[in-house]
Amino acid sequence: MFPDDVERLAREVIEAAAARGRMVAMAESCTGGLVAAALTAVPGSSAVVERGFVTYSNAAKTELLGVPAGLIDSLGAVSGPVARAMAEGALARSAAQASVAVTGIAGPGGGSADKPVGLVHFAAAGPAGVVHLERRFGDIGREAVRLESVRTALGLLLDRIGA
C-alpha cells in the first residue's frame, strides 16, 4: 500500500514505541489519516497506536483537540502554533506518551503568496517536549505532498519517541 521506505519507517516507529512502552497518537489534517494508516499497516501496531484524530476542518481541530479558535482565526490552520496545539491536544486527549500533528496545503488549490501549495507544518510532542517543523514541498501534486508529509511525520514521531 505504501512505498517501501514509508513501511520501513512505520515499522521503526512501532518497534521504538514498543521497546519504550510508549503509546502514540496522531492529529492529522492534510494527510487525512495516512499517518495512522501507515502505522496500523504494521503487524503488532495495536500494542502502541492509541488513537488518531482526523481533524480536517477548523471546527474539528477546536472540538476534538482543543486548539483555540482564536489561534486559528489569527494565524490560520496552517501554522506552527496550530500544529503545536494539535500535537499537545492529541496527547491531552489520549493515553499516548508521544504524538505527531500535520496541517498543510496539499493542493492543487488553496495556496496563497504567504502560504503556498506544498506548505506543511508538523509538530511532535513527547516526554522531551514539543518540536515544530515547517516544510515547503512545493506544488508537486496533492498525493506527493501527502506522501512526503507522511514520511516527515513518521520521522518526527520516531524522534519524539526516542527523546
Side-chain angles (χ1 to χ4, degrees):
M1 176 175 185
F2 290 97
D4 290 346
D5 66 313
V6 172
E7 290 179 2
R8 177 190 47 76
L9 196 50
R11 193 170 41 257
E12 288 177 16
V13 169
I14 297 300
E15 290 170 356
R20 289 168 180 79
R22 295 192 178 147
M23 300 290 284
V24 300
M26 292 68 58
E28 302 183 63
S29 187
C30 67
T31 48
L34 289 175
V35 177
L39 290 171
T40 58
V42 177
S45 59
S46 61
V48 299
V49 175
E50 208 281 324
R51 71 183 66 187
F53 301 88
V54 177
T55 56
Y56 212 69
S57 71
N58 291 344
K61 289 173 183 65
T62 298
E63 293 167 14
L64 297 176
L65 298 172
V67 177
L71 187 64
I72 295 172
D73 290 344
S74 65
L75 299 175
V78 181
S79 66
V82 169
R84 292 175 69 94
M86 289 170 65
E88 291 168 339
L91 278 188
R93 288 162 172 76
S94 72
Q97 293 78 42
S99 69
V100 68
V102 185
T103 183
I105 304 166
S112 67
D114 292 338
K115 295 183 180 185
V117 170
L119 171 65
V120 184
H121 285 271
F122 303 86
V130 183
V131 295
H132 165 256
L133 189 63
E134 176 186 309
R135 289 286 182 259
R136 291 176 182 258
F137 298 116
D139 194 356
I140 58 175
R142 184 176 183 81
E143 292 311 310
V145 169
R146 287 164 42 106
L147 187 57
E148 288 301 323
S149 295
V150 171
R151 286 184 176 103
T152 302
L154 289 172
L156 198 56
L157 184 57
L158 184 60
D159 176 67
R160 282 296 89 182
I161 291 167

